Amino acid sequence: MKRILFSLLLVNISLFGFDYHLKPQKVNDTTWCFLGKLEAPSKHNGGFMSNHCYVNTGKHYVLIDAGGTYEIAKQAYEQMQKIADLPVSTVILTHEHDDHWLGASFHKEKFNAKLVGVASINKNYDKNSKTRMFRMLSADAIKNTKIVKVEQEISEPTTLKIDDTSFQIIPVGVKAHASEDLFVYVPKNKTLFSSDIVMNGRITSNRDGSVIGQLKAVKMLEKMDFKNLVPGHGFDTSKNAMNETKQYFTLLKQRVLEAIENEVSAQDITKVVKMEEFKNKALYDELNSRNVFDAFNELEFYEEEE
């Protein structure tokens, strides 16, 4: 019976397009976010597995990230039109993982929105690139999605003023979650957008990142005066939103270094360091062991700075 229902779901997607049933979550009076599923991208979820947010600046919307496909971005914007029918002027793209920026192709096509973000998107992708979303999603879910270029590359702290709202865009400066990461702060309502530097409710993927860089980024975020923090993945947007990330990477560093001191080998590290406090979080089975193994490789010859 389950197989039949799943087949009917695929038929529905094929015939009528992928309907994400998106609902904006209000963070504060000017900010709404679409909070993705705590899953890896798949044909079943159509790539809706990351967070992206709209900020109303008075006459425009500014986006922090753009979702993983053209269709996600399109359906999200249609929901935002019901709140305020405003054009999108600017999209800030926080890092190069495709679940956060492929949706910018919709906003570029519809509004000619300015795309601001990390240089690694331009460096590592061109119009012919086929990212994991193109490889993993159905044809209907990925339709119309295109690779788009960042027009303003951010390499140092930058402030954008859109209407009556300022956006402080701050590069981490070292590899943290990805080779380049930005976070965004809106002083007007003390909202902090961490993107994938922070996740909650699920295990992070640190395949392109650094334990030391992640902890540095967390310290940078903690210095900000914020009321809300929107993670790259996860549903908690409160002041406590980064607690899980801080705990995970603090313990990961501590335990891997202790294991190295005790001469645990790379072959055995995942048997010794299990991070079992997080075993009930989404994607633990898929990602945690890889994170531990990668942390061993990073920290094997690590020396704490004075």
Side-chain angles (χ1 to χ4, degrees), residues 11-158:
V11 169
N12 180 61
I13 291 170
S14 176
L15 291 177
F16 305 110
F18 207 110
D19 186 352
Y20 294 91
H21 303 289
L22 299 178
K23 294 182 179 179
Q25 305 297 314
K26 187 174 183 179
V27 175
N28 54 51
D29 287 344
T30 63
T31 307
W32 291 262
C33 295
F34 294 87
L35 305 177
K37 299 178 184 298
L38 302 182
E39 303 170 352
S42 66
K43 285 185 170 62
H44 177 66
N45 62 36
F48 180 49
M49 38 77 68
S50 66
N51 299 343
H52 70 284
C53 298
Y54 282 74
V55 179
N56 183 331
T57 62
K59 297 179 181 178
H60 302 88
Y61 284 127
V62 171
L63 265 66
I64 316 299
D65 287 331
T69 70
Y70 180 105
E71 288 299 310
I72 291 171
K74 178 177 181 291
Q75 291 183 34
Y77 178 72
E78 288 169 352
Q79 292 302 309
M80 290 306 302
Q81 280 185 296
K82 299 175 184 178
I83 296 172
D85 191 1
L86 301 173
V88 173
S89 70
T90 308
V91 183
I92 302 171
L93 304 172
T94 60
H95 65 289
E96 68 171 286
H97 292 160
D98 62 350
D99 54 311
H100 289 263
W101 62 269
L102 283 177
S105 56
F106 166 76
H107 300 289
K108 192 64 189 173
E109 177 185 292
K110 184 172 180 63
F111 303 107
N112 194 28
K114 183 176 183 180
L115 307 184
V116 178
V118 292
S120 52
I121 293 174
N122 291 346
K123 178 181 177 182
N124 296 328
Y125 304 94
D126 61 35
K127 64 181 181 180
N128 298 315
S129 297
K130 296 298 180 186
T131 71
R132 62 177 175 162
M133 291 296 186
F134 288 92
R135 297 190 300 268
M136 298 181 71
L137 304 185
S138 69
D140 280 304
I142 199 67
K143 70 181 179 181
N144 299 318
T145 304
K146 298 179 178 65
I147 304 293
V148 289
K149 290 288 188 181
V150 170
E151 295 156 294
Q152 181 179 349
E153 298 177 356
I154 303 295
S155 59
E156 59 186 17
T158 302

Side-chain angles (χ1 to χ4, degrees), residues 65 141 144 165 238 270 283 299:
D65 287 331
N144 299 318
T165 305
S238 72
T270 58
L283 298 177
L299 298 172

Side-chain angles (χ1 to χ4, degrees), residues 105-292:
S105 56
F106 166 76
H107 300 289
K108 192 64 189 173
E109 177 185 292
K110 184 172 180 63
F111 303 107
N112 194 28
K114 183 176 183 180
L115 307 184
V116 178
V118 292
S120 52
I121 293 174
N122 291 346
K123 178 181 177 182
N124 296 328
Y125 304 94
D126 61 35
K127 64 181 181 180
N128 298 315
S129 297
K130 296 298 180 186
T131 71
R132 62 177 175 162
M133 291 296 186
F134 288 92
R135 297 190 300 268
M136 298 181 71
L137 304 185
S138 69
D140 280 304
I142 199 67
K143 70 181 179 181
N144 299 318
T145 304
K146 298 179 178 65
I147 304 293
V148 289
K149 290 288 188 181
V150 170
E151 295 156 294
Q152 181 179 349
E153 298 177 356
I154 303 295
S155 59
E156 59 186 17
T158 302
T159 298
L160 298 181
K161 183 74 177 294
I162 312 294
D163 301 330
D164 64 352
T165 305
S166 293
F167 295 81
Q168 296 177 7
I169 309 173
I170 304 170
V172 173
V174 297
K175 181 168 72 170
H177 175 73
S179 61
E180 294 179 81
D181 297 278
L182 307 173
F183 60 90
V184 181
Y185 179 63
V186 180
K188 182 178 180 180
N189 52 28
K190 295 186 177 182
T191 304
L192 188 56
F193 302 89
S194 72
S195 193
D196 282 5
I197 296 168
V198 171
M199 301 185 191
N200 55 56
R202 56 157 282 183
I203 297 297
T204 184
S205 170
N206 204 39
R207 69 186 186 277
D208 296 328
S210 158
V211 174
I212 302 304
Q214 282 275 7
L215 288 170
K216 176 182 178 180
V218 166
K219 287 183 179 179
M220 293 174 71
L221 292 172
E222 286 180 318
K223 292 178 181 178
M224 308 301 292
D225 178 20
F226 63 92
K227 291 181 178 178
N228 297 104
L229 187 151
V230 180
H233 300 260
F235 306 142
D236 184 353
T237 62
S238 72
K239 283 185 68 70
N240 299 319
M242 81 170 93
N243 289 359
E244 284 181 27
T245 292
K246 181 179 181 179
Q247 182 189 21
Y248 184 83
F249 281 103
T250 299
L251 291 176
L252 181 61
K253 177 188 174 186
Q254 173 189 321
R255 290 173 183 175
V256 169
L257 285 174
E258 287 176 355
I260 291 169
E261 183 69 20
N262 292 328
E263 300 185 351
V264 175
S265 68
Q267 182 178 354
D268 293 330
I269 190 64
T270 58
K271 300 173 186 176
V272 174
V273 179
K274 297 182 179 180
M275 306 295 288
E276 289 188 327
E277 298 92 334
F278 300 89
K279 65 182 180 181
N280 294 323
K281 300 296 181 182
L283 298 177
Y284 174 88
D285 292 337
E286 294 86 347
L287 298 175
N288 185 68
S289 291
R290 169 69 184 270
N291 289 344
V292 172

